[in-house]
Amino acid sequence: MSTIKDIEARKILDSRGVETVEVRISTDSGIIVTDSVPSGTSTGSMEAVVVAPEVAINNVNDIIKPKLVGLNPAEQGKIDQIMLELDGTPDKSKLGANAILGVSLAVSRAAAAAAKMPLYRYLNSLFNLVSGLDIKPAIPTPMMVMIEGGKHASEGQNCIQEFLCITSLENGGKIWNRLKRNLTRENLGVTLGLEGGFTPKLEYDEDALRLIMEAINEEGLVINENVKLGLDIAGNHCQMSHDDVLSMAERYPIYSLEDPFAENEWQTWGQLKNSLDQLHREYLLIGDDLFTTNLQRFEKGADNFDANGIIIKVNQVGTLTETLTVIAKAVKSNFTHVVSHRSGETMDTYISDLAVATASKFLKSGAPFATERVIKYNRLREIAQELGKNT
Ligand code: 2PG
Ligand code: MG
């Protein structure tokens, strides 16, 4: 049995040039692992609270570490519970979700290393244990952003935050590069948003859909055959009515719709779901800020069938155990769960292993371009090779 010997938190820069927390755990058997904490730009109000990095670091080093040294990292549930009790608030505002999450993730990585298992395999057995399910690891399809707007771009650009292509990495790379050539040719600019997607100045948001469809077509790909289209409207920041969203869904072959409305517009969500049912085609209506990976919020939506998909972001909730509990509830409620990055990312590839471990259908990790995004997609390829499958 391995035990935790040391826990040390420090500051690192994230992909936006903003400081975040990295946690390093070592065990008595000589294992050393690190994990870091992502953070969002367009956030939901029910997300667990982030404290200043200096405060989080002191909380890890002075409050959390003394209680965890000597424990077996395989006791994830117990360790997460100790941190929840040390914090004692419903939103993790005392210690900070950024302090707790860094430790929670690194503990599981240390346990995987101690068990001599790849992280995704270890997380898969933990998930089956927590959920009582028997899920096999599976490779998700990348959900890649091509054009960005809203809070991920400069003022005055598209209102919709993300225009996405759901396809293989190879196709995603081709579409992104084709789009770059087309935007250059049309003098629309190739500046990038926070997640590596383009942020052209367009007259209407729908122009972004047209540009992407053109690029798909020019690459000889076919929508709904080898590429699906998705939107993250980020409705907390981009206001659209039920009729506006529905009319877009009627006129374009959009498969996935994330946060079409703000987080408290439950009724409009339900209304849209009924309208989409009438279209008699496959669709995914995904709650991100609506649910914030929070069990109570999700139970409310799942019971009312306000959506059929949920975004999973580890830092929205702050511990691995709570994350796995929400995913388990999603699987049992027949919701599609989509493991997702944040706009402020690091080089940590934890979410790729988490997505495989819980058989997430999709992994949303930004454009097939910026290194902190691509590294997560490439980790999928590495795992796929181990499992003998393609991405
Ligand atoms: C989202 C995310 C990731 P942010 O809204 O889905 O794309 O953005 O991390 O800024 O919340
Ligand atoms: Mg979102």
Side-chain angles (χ1 to χ4, degrees), residues 42 152 161-162 232-235 258-259 286-289 311 313 316 340 342 364:
S42 80
H152 290 184
Q161 184 179 285
E162 297 167 31
D232 180 1
I233 296 177
E258 179 181 333
D259 281 358
I286 314 174
D288 173 13
D289 293 343
I311 286 279
K313 292 170 170 168
Q316 282 180 330
S340 166
R342 299 308 306 251
K364 185 171 124 162

mmCIF file with all atom_site columns, all heavy atoms in Angstrom, residues 42 152 161-162 232-235 258-259 286-289 311 313 316 340 342 364, ligand 2:
data_model
loop_
_atom_site.group_PDB
_atom_site.id
_atom_site.type_symbol
_atom_site.label_atom_id
_atom_site.label_alt_id
_atom_site.label_comp_id
_atom_site.label_asym_id
_atom_site.label_entity_id
_atom_site.label_seq_id
_atom_site.pdbx_PDB_ins_code
_atom_site.Cartn_x
_atom_site.Cartn_y
_atom_site.Cartn_z
_atom_site.occupancy
_atom_site.B_iso_or_equiv
_atom_site.pdbx_formal_charge
_atom_site.auth_seq_id
_atom_site.auth_comp_id
_atom_site.auth_asym_id
_atom_site.auth_atom_id
_atom_site.pdbx_PDB_model_num
ATOM   1   N  N   . SER A 1 42  ? -16.693 32.331 -19.442 1.00 0.00 ? 42  SER A N   1
ATOM   2   C  CA  . SER A 1 42  ? -18.153 32.508 -19.396 1.00 0.00 ? 42  SER A CA  1
ATOM   3   C  C   . SER A 1 42  ? -18.660 31.437 -18.450 1.00 0.00 ? 42  SER A C   1
ATOM   4   O  O   . SER A 1 42  ? -18.718 30.262 -18.779 1.00 0.00 ? 42  SER A O   1
ATOM   5   C  CB  . SER A 1 42  ? -18.765 32.385 -20.790 1.00 0.00 ? 42  SER A CB  1
ATOM   6   O  OG  . SER A 1 42  ? -18.913 31.060 -21.187 1.00 0.00 ? 42  SER A OG  1
ATOM   7   N  N   . HIS A 1 152 ? -15.521 34.777 -25.568 1.00 0.00 ? 152 HIS A N   1
ATOM   8   C  CA  . HIS A 1 152 ? -14.249 34.186 -25.988 1.00 0.00 ? 152 HIS A CA  1
ATOM   9   C  C   . HIS A 1 152 ? -13.571 34.982 -27.100 1.00 0.00 ? 152 HIS A C   1
ATOM   10  O  O   . HIS A 1 152 ? -12.501 34.617 -27.577 1.00 0.00 ? 152 HIS A O   1
ATOM   11  C  CB  . HIS A 1 152 ? -14.461 32.739 -26.452 1.00 0.00 ? 152 HIS A CB  1
ATOM   12  C  CG  . HIS A 1 152 ? -14.804 31.813 -25.322 1.00 0.00 ? 152 HIS A CG  1
ATOM   13  N  ND1 . HIS A 1 152 ? -14.964 30.462 -25.497 1.00 0.00 ? 152 HIS A ND1 1
ATOM   14  C  CD2 . HIS A 1 152 ? -14.993 32.046 -24.001 1.00 0.00 ? 152 HIS A CD2 1
ATOM   15  C  CE1 . HIS A 1 152 ? -15.251 29.901 -24.330 1.00 0.00 ? 152 HIS A CE1 1
ATOM   16  N  NE2 . HIS A 1 152 ? -15.284 30.844 -23.411 1.00 0.00 ? 152 HIS A NE2 1
ATOM   17  N  N   . GLN A 1 161 ? -21.204 31.883 -28.779 1.00 0.00 ? 161 GLN A N   1
ATOM   18  C  CA  . GLN A 1 161 ? -19.830 31.673 -28.297 1.00 0.00 ? 161 GLN A CA  1
ATOM   19  C  C   . GLN A 1 161 ? -19.020 30.651 -29.104 1.00 0.00 ? 161 GLN A C   1
ATOM   20  O  O   . GLN A 1 161 ? -17.829 30.841 -29.331 1.00 0.00 ? 161 GLN A O   1
ATOM   21  C  CB  . GLN A 1 161 ? -19.897 31.241 -26.832 1.00 0.00 ? 161 GLN A CB  1
ATOM   22  C  CG  . GLN A 1 161 ? -18.555 31.073 -26.161 1.00 0.00 ? 161 GLN A CG  1
ATOM   23  C  CD  . GLN A 1 161 ? -18.722 30.670 -24.703 1.00 0.00 ? 161 GLN A CD  1
ATOM   24  O  OE1 . GLN A 1 161 ? -19.074 31.484 -23.872 1.00 0.00 ? 161 GLN A OE1 1
ATOM   25  N  NE2 . GLN A 1 161 ? -18.466 29.414 -24.401 1.00 0.00 ? 161 GLN A NE2 1
ATOM   26  N  N   . GLU A 1 162 ? -19.677 29.550 -29.515 1.00 0.00 ? 162 GLU A N   1
ATOM   27  C  CA  . GLU A 1 162 ? -18.897 28.496 -30.188 1.00 0.00 ? 162 GLU A CA  1
ATOM   28  C  C   . GLU A 1 162 ? -19.670 27.854 -31.331 1.00 0.00 ? 162 GLU A C   1
ATOM   29  O  O   . GLU A 1 162 ? -20.822 27.460 -31.170 1.00 0.00 ? 162 GLU A O   1
ATOM   30  C  CB  . GLU A 1 162 ? -18.522 27.394 -29.167 1.00 0.00 ? 162 GLU A CB  1
ATOM   31  C  CG  . GLU A 1 162 ? -17.626 27.915 -28.067 1.00 0.00 ? 162 GLU A CG  1
ATOM   32  C  CD  . GLU A 1 162 ? -17.513 26.934 -26.893 1.00 0.00 ? 162 GLU A CD  1
ATOM   33  O  OE1 . GLU A 1 162 ? -17.594 25.717 -27.117 1.00 0.00 ? 162 GLU A OE1 1
ATOM   34  O  OE2 . GLU A 1 162 ? -17.368 27.415 -25.762 1.00 0.00 ? 162 GLU A OE2 1
ATOM   35  N  N   . ASP A 1 232 ? -22.504 26.296 -29.167 1.00 0.00 ? 232 ASP A N   1
ATOM   36  C  CA  . ASP A 1 232 ? -22.667 26.648 -27.756 1.00 0.00 ? 232 ASP A CA  1
ATOM   37  C  C   . ASP A 1 232 ? -23.041 28.118 -27.745 1.00 0.00 ? 232 ASP A C   1
ATOM   38  O  O   . ASP A 1 232 ? -22.190 28.988 -27.979 1.00 0.00 ? 232 ASP A O   1
ATOM   39  C  CB  . ASP A 1 232 ? -21.375 26.400 -26.955 1.00 0.00 ? 232 ASP A CB  1
ATOM   40  C  CG  . ASP A 1 232 ? -21.553 26.775 -25.481 1.00 0.00 ? 232 ASP A CG  1
ATOM   41  O  OD1 . ASP A 1 232 ? -22.672 27.199 -25.113 1.00 0.00 ? 232 ASP A OD1 1
ATOM   42  O  OD2 . ASP A 1 232 ? -20.584 26.643 -24.716 1.00 0.00 ? 232 ASP A OD2 1
ATOM   43  N  N   . ILE A 1 233 ? -24.326 28.357 -27.527 1.00 0.00 ? 233 ILE A N   1
ATOM   44  C  CA  . ILE A 1 233 ? -24.813 29.745 -27.569 1.00 0.00 ? 233 ILE A CA  1
ATOM   45  C  C   . ILE A 1 233 ? -24.360 30.504 -26.320 1.00 0.00 ? 233 ILE A C   1
ATOM   46  O  O   . ILE A 1 233 ? -24.194 31.724 -26.346 1.00 0.00 ? 233 ILE A O   1
ATOM   47  C  CB  . ILE A 1 233 ? -26.353 29.754 -27.748 1.00 0.00 ? 233 ILE A CB  1
ATOM   48  C  CG1 . ILE A 1 233 ? -26.686 29.134 -29.119 1.00 0.00 ? 233 ILE A CG1 1
ATOM   49  C  CG2 . ILE A 1 233 ? -26.933 31.166 -27.624 1.00 0.00 ? 233 ILE A CG2 1
ATOM   50  C  CD1 . ILE A 1 233 ? -28.154 28.988 -29.440 1.00 0.00 ? 233 ILE A CD1 1
ATOM   51  N  N   . ALA A 1 234 ? -24.102 29.787 -25.234 1.00 0.00 ? 234 ALA A N   1
ATOM   52  C  CA  . ALA A 1 234 ? -23.733 30.398 -23.943 1.00 0.00 ? 234 ALA A CA  1
ATOM   53  C  C   . ALA A 1 234 ? -24.776 31.446 -23.566 1.00 0.00 ? 234 ALA A C   1
ATOM   54  O  O   . ALA A 1 234 ? -24.487 32.638 -23.416 1.00 0.00 ? 234 ALA A O   1
ATOM   55  C  CB  . ALA A 1 234 ? -22.314 30.978 -23.977 1.00 0.00 ? 234 ALA A CB  1
ATOM   56  N  N   . GLY A 1 235 ? -26.009 30.974 -23.446 1.00 0.00 ? 235 GLY A N   1
ATOM   57  C  CA  . GLY A 1 235 ? -27.185 31.839 -23.256 1.00 0.00 ? 235 GLY A CA  1
ATOM   58  C  C   . GLY A 1 235 ? -27.156 32.766 -22.056 1.00 0.00 ? 235 GLY A C   1
ATOM   59  O  O   . GLY A 1 235 ? -27.971 33.693 -21.994 1.00 0.00 ? 235 GLY A O   1
ATOM   60  N  N   . GLU A 1 258 ? -25.877 23.719 -27.217 1.00 0.00 ? 258 GLU A N   1
ATOM   61  C  CA  . GLU A 1 258 ? -25.516 23.856 -25.800 1.00 0.00 ? 258 GLU A CA  1
ATOM   62  C  C   . GLU A 1 258 ? -25.981 25.222 -25.294 1.00 0.00 ? 258 GLU A C   1
ATOM   63  O  O   . GLU A 1 258 ? -25.835 26.226 -26.006 1.00 0.00 ? 258 GLU A O   1
ATOM   64  C  CB  . GLU A 1 258 ? -23.992 23.698 -25.689 1.00 0.00 ? 258 GLU A CB  1
ATOM   65  C  CG  . GLU A 1 258 ? -23.441 23.830 -24.282 1.00 0.00 ? 258 GLU A CG  1
ATOM   66  C  CD  . GLU A 1 258 ? -21.908 23.688 -24.270 1.00 0.00 ? 258 GLU A CD  1
ATOM   67  O  OE1 . GLU A 1 258 ? -21.337 23.021 -25.164 1.00 0.00 ? 258 GLU A OE1 1
ATOM   68  O  OE2 . GLU A 1 258 ? -21.287 24.257 -23.354 1.00 0.00 ? 258 GLU A OE2 1
ATOM   69  N  N   . ASP A 1 259 ? -26.480 25.256 -24.097 1.00 0.00 ? 259 ASP A N   1
ATOM   70  C  CA  . ASP A 1 259 ? -26.916 26.489 -23.438 1.00 0.00 ? 259 ASP A CA  1
ATOM   71  C  C   . ASP A 1 259 ? -27.597 27.488 -24.391 1.00 0.00 ? 259 ASP A C   1
ATOM   72  O  O   . ASP A 1 259 ? -27.152 28.647 -24.511 1.00 0.00 ? 259 ASP A O   1
ATOM   73  C  CB  . ASP A 1 259 ? -25.711 27.188 -22.770 1.00 0.00 ? 259 ASP A CB  1
ATOM   74  C  CG  . ASP A 1 259 ? -25.347 26.534 -21.431 1.00 0.00 ? 259 ASP A CG  1
ATOM   75  O  OD1 . ASP A 1 259 ? -26.034 25.592 -21.015 1.00 0.00 ? 259 ASP A OD1 1
ATOM   76  O  OD2 . ASP A 1 259 ? -24.366 26.986 -20.806 1.00 0.00 ? 259 ASP A OD2 1
ATOM   77  N  N   . ILE A 1 286 ? -27.886 20.406 -24.775 1.00 0.00 ? 286 ILE A N   1
ATOM   78  C  CA  . ILE A 1 286 ? -26.927 20.201 -23.679 1.00 0.00 ? 286 ILE A CA  1
ATOM   79  C  C   . ILE A 1 286 ? -26.931 21.342 -22.672 1.00 0.00 ? 286 ILE A C   1
ATOM   80  O  O   . ILE A 1 286 ? -26.789 22.515 -23.037 1.00 0.00 ? 286 ILE A O   1
ATOM   81  C  CB  . ILE A 1 286 ? -25.479 20.093 -24.243 1.00 0.00 ? 286 ILE A CB  1
ATOM   82  C  CG1 . ILE A 1 286 ? -25.433 19.149 -25.447 1.00 0.00 ? 286 ILE A CG1 1
ATOM   83  C  CG2 . ILE A 1 286 ? -24.526 19.621 -23.173 1.00 0.00 ? 286 ILE A CG2 1
ATOM   84  C  CD1 . ILE A 1 286 ? -24.075 19.119 -26.122 1.00 0.00 ? 286 ILE A CD1 1
ATOM   85  N  N   . GLY A 1 287 ? -27.010 20.986 -21.405 1.00 0.00 ? 287 GLY A N   1
ATOM   86  C  CA  . GLY A 1 287 ? -26.926 21.989 -20.337 1.00 0.00 ? 287 GLY A CA  1
ATOM   87  C  C   . GLY A 1 287 ? -25.503 22.086 -19.803 1.00 0.00 ? 287 GLY A C   1
ATOM   88  O  O   . GLY A 1 287 ? -24.931 21.093 -19.365 1.00 0.00 ? 287 GLY A O   1
ATOM   89  N  N   . ASP A 1 288 ? -24.971 23.301 -19.862 1.00 0.00 ? 288 ASP A N   1
ATOM   90  C  CA  . ASP A 1 288 ? -23.636 23.556 -19.286 1.00 0.00 ? 288 ASP A CA  1
ATOM   91  C  C   . ASP A 1 288 ? -23.840 24.473 -18.071 1.00 0.00 ? 288 ASP A C   1
ATOM   92  O  O   . ASP A 1 288 ? -23.918 24.001 -16.931 1.00 0.00 ? 288 ASP A O   1
ATOM   93  C  CB  . ASP A 1 288 ? -22.742 24.193 -20.357 1.00 0.00 ? 288 ASP A CB  1
ATOM   94  C  CG  . ASP A 1 288 ? -21.400 24.660 -19.808 1.00 0.00 ? 288 ASP A CG  1
ATOM   95  O  OD1 . ASP A 1 288 ? -21.056 24.294 -18.683 1.00 0.00 ? 288 ASP A OD1 1
ATOM   96  O  OD2 . ASP A 1 288 ? -20.686 25.409 -20.518 1.00 0.00 ? 288 ASP A OD2 1
ATOM   97  N  N   . ASP A 1 289 ? -23.985 25.779 -18.305 1.00 0.00 ? 289 ASP A N   1
ATOM   98  C  CA  . ASP A 1 289 ? -24.266 26.686 -17.182 1.00 0.00 ? 289 ASP A CA  1
ATOM   99  C  C   . ASP A 1 289 ? -25.594 26.328 -16.508 1.00 0.00 ? 289 ASP A C   1
ATOM   100 O  O   . ASP A 1 289 ? -25.805 26.641 -15.340 1.00 0.00 ? 289 ASP A O   1
ATOM   101 C  CB  . ASP A 1 289 ? -24.312 28.147 -17.676 1.00 0.00 ? 289 ASP A CB  1
ATOM   102 C  CG  . ASP A 1 289 ? -22.946 28.622 -18.154 1.00 0.00 ? 289 ASP A CG  1
ATOM   103 O  OD1 . ASP A 1 289 ? -21.947 27.962 -17.817 1.00 0.00 ? 289 ASP A OD1 1
ATOM   104 O  OD2 . ASP A 1 289 ? -22.881 29.631 -18.871 1.00 0.00 ? 289 ASP A OD2 1
ATOM   105 N  N   . ILE A 1 311 ? -22.987 18.909 -19.958 1.00 0.00 ? 311 ILE A N   1
ATOM   106 C  CA  . ILE A 1 311 ? -21.547 19.160 -20.013 1.00 0.00 ? 311 ILE A CA  1
ATOM   107 C  C   . ILE A 1 311 ? -20.959 18.836 -18.644 1.00 0.00 ? 311 ILE A C   1
ATOM   108 O  O   . ILE A 1 311 ? -21.543 19.181 -17.611 1.00 0.00 ? 311 ILE A O   1
ATOM   109 C  CB  . ILE A 1 311 ? -21.281 20.653 -20.356 1.00 0.00 ? 311 ILE A CB  1
ATOM   110 C  CG1 . ILE A 1 311 ? -21.583 20.926 -21.827 1.00 0.00 ? 311 ILE A CG1 1
ATOM   111 C  CG2 . ILE A 1 311 ? -19.854 21.075 -19.998 1.00 0.00 ? 311 ILE A CG2 1
ATOM   112 C  CD1 . ILE A 1 311 ? -20.510 20.543 -22.822 1.00 0.00 ? 311 ILE A CD1 1
ATOM   113 N  N   . LYS A 1 313 ? -17.720 19.454 -16.324 1.00 0.00 ? 313 LYS A N   1
ATOM   114 C  CA  . LYS A 1 313 ? -16.474 20.211 -16.124 1.00 0.00 ? 313 LYS A CA  1
ATOM   115 C  C   . LYS A 1 313 ? -16.037 20.012 -14.682 1.00 0.00 ? 313 LYS A C   1
ATOM   116 O  O   . LYS A 1 313 ? -16.770 20.401 -13.756 1.00 0.00 ? 313 LYS A O   1
ATOM   117 C  CB  . LYS A 1 313 ? -16.708 21.696 -16.390 1.00 0.00 ? 313 LYS A CB  1
ATOM   118 C  CG  . LYS A 1 313 ? -17.007 22.040 -17.850 1.00 0.00 ? 313 LYS A CG  1
ATOM   119 C  CD  . LYS A 1 313 ? -17.448 23.477 -17.966 1.00 0.00 ? 313 LYS A CD  1
ATOM   120 C  CE  . LYS A 1 313 ? -17.516 23.933 -19.416 1.00 0.00 ? 313 LYS A CE  1
ATOM   121 N  NZ  . LYS A 1 313 ? -18.211 25.228 -19.537 1.00 0.00 ? 313 LYS A NZ  1
ATOM   122 N  N   . GLN A 1 316 ? -16.262 22.895 -12.226 1.00 0.00 ? 316 GLN A N   1
ATOM   123 C  CA  . GLN A 1 316 ? -17.559 23.482 -11.848 1.00 0.00 ? 316 GLN A CA  1
ATOM   124 C  C   . GLN A 1 316 ? -18.008 22.945 -10.500 1.00 0.00 ? 316 GLN A C   1
ATOM   125 O  O   . GLN A 1 316 ? -18.722 23.606 -9.765  1.00 0.00 ? 316 GLN A O   1
ATOM   126 C  CB  . GLN A 1 316 ? -18.629 23.143 -12.900 1.00 0.00 ? 316 GLN A CB  1
ATOM   127 C  CG  . GLN A 1 316 ? -18.550 23.988 -14.156 1.00 0.00 ? 316 GLN A CG  1
ATOM   128 C  CD  . GLN A 1 316 ? -19.624 23.613 -15.164 1.00 0.00 ? 316 GLN A CD  1
ATOM   129 O  OE1 . GLN A 1 316 ? -20.056 22.468 -15.218 1.00 0.00 ? 316 GLN A OE1 1
ATOM   130 N  NE2 . GLN A 1 316 ? -20.035 24.569 -15.974 1.00 0.00 ? 316 GLN A NE2 1
ATOM   131 N  N   . SER A 1 340 ? -15.731 18.201 -20.795 1.00 0.00 ? 340 SER A N   1
ATOM   132 C  CA  . SER A 1 340 ? -15.300 19.441 -21.448 1.00 0.00 ? 340 SER A CA  1
ATOM   133 C  C   . SER A 1 340 ? -14.146 20.139 -20.723 1.00 0.00 ? 340 SER A C   1
ATOM   134 O  O   . SER A 1 340 ? -14.020 20.084 -19.509 1.00 0.00 ? 340 SER A O   1
ATOM   135 C  CB  . SER A 1 340 ? -16.503 20.403 -21.500 1.00 0.00 ? 340 SER A CB  1
ATOM   136 O  OG  . SER A 1 340 ? -16.094 21.714 -21.808 1.00 0.00 ? 340 SER A OG  1
ATOM   137 N  N   . ARG A 1 342 ? -12.044 23.996 -20.194 1.00 0.00 ? 342 ARG A N   1
ATOM   138 C  CA  . ARG A 1 342 ? -12.469 25.371 -19.940 1.00 0.00 ? 342 ARG A CA  1
ATOM   139 C  C   . ARG A 1 342 ? -11.705 26.293 -20.886 1.00 0.00 ? 342 ARG A C   1
ATOM   140 O  O   . ARG A 1 342 ? -10.704 25.899 -21.478 1.00 0.00 ? 342 ARG A O   1
ATOM   141 C  CB  . ARG A 1 342 ? -12.164 25.807 -18.488 1.00 0.00 ? 342 ARG A CB  1
ATOM   142 C  CG  . ARG A 1 342 ? -12.837 25.025 -17.399 1.00 0.00 ? 342 ARG A CG  1
ATOM   143 C  CD  . ARG A 1 342 ? -14.331 24.880 -17.535 1.00 0.00 ? 342 ARG A CD  1
ATOM   144 N  NE  . ARG A 1 342 ? -15.128 26.078 -17.691 1.00 0.00 ? 342 ARG A NE  1
ATOM   145 C  CZ  . ARG A 1 342 ? -15.943 26.586 -16.774 1.00 0.00 ? 342 ARG A CZ  1
ATOM   146 N  NH1 . ARG A 1 342 ? -16.034 26.010 -15.595 1.00 0.00 ? 342 ARG A NH1 1
ATOM   147 N  NH2 . ARG A 1 342 ? -16.698 27.645 -17.015 1.00 0.00 ? 342 ARG A NH2 1
ATOM   148 N  N   . LYS A 1 364 ? -15.126 17.743 -25.532 1.00 0.00 ? 364 LYS A N   1
ATOM   149 C  CA  . LYS A 1 364 ? -15.062 19.113 -26.052 1.00 0.00 ? 364 LYS A CA  1
ATOM   150 C  C   . LYS A 1 364 ? -13.788 19.748 -25.518 1.00 0.00 ? 364 LYS A C   1
ATOM   151 O  O   . LYS A 1 364 ? -13.644 19.974 -24.320 1.00 0.00 ? 364 LYS A O   1
ATOM   152 C  CB  . LYS A 1 364 ? -16.309 19.872 -25.574 1.00 0.00 ? 364 LYS A CB  1
ATOM   153 C  CG  . LYS A 1 364 ? -16.411 21.275 -26.144 1.00 0.00 ? 364 LYS A CG  1
ATOM   154 C  CD  . LYS A 1 364 ? -17.764 21.892 -25.832 1.00 0.00 ? 364 LYS A CD  1
ATOM   155 C  CE  . LYS A 1 364 ? -17.555 23.197 -25.115 1.00 0.00 ? 364 LYS A CE  1
ATOM   156 N  NZ  . LYS A 1 364 ? -18.707 24.085 -25.116 1.00 0.00 ? 364 LYS A NZ  1
HETATM 157 MG MG  . MG  B 2 .   ? -20.700 26.067 -22.591 1.00 0.00 ? 2   MG  B MG  1
#
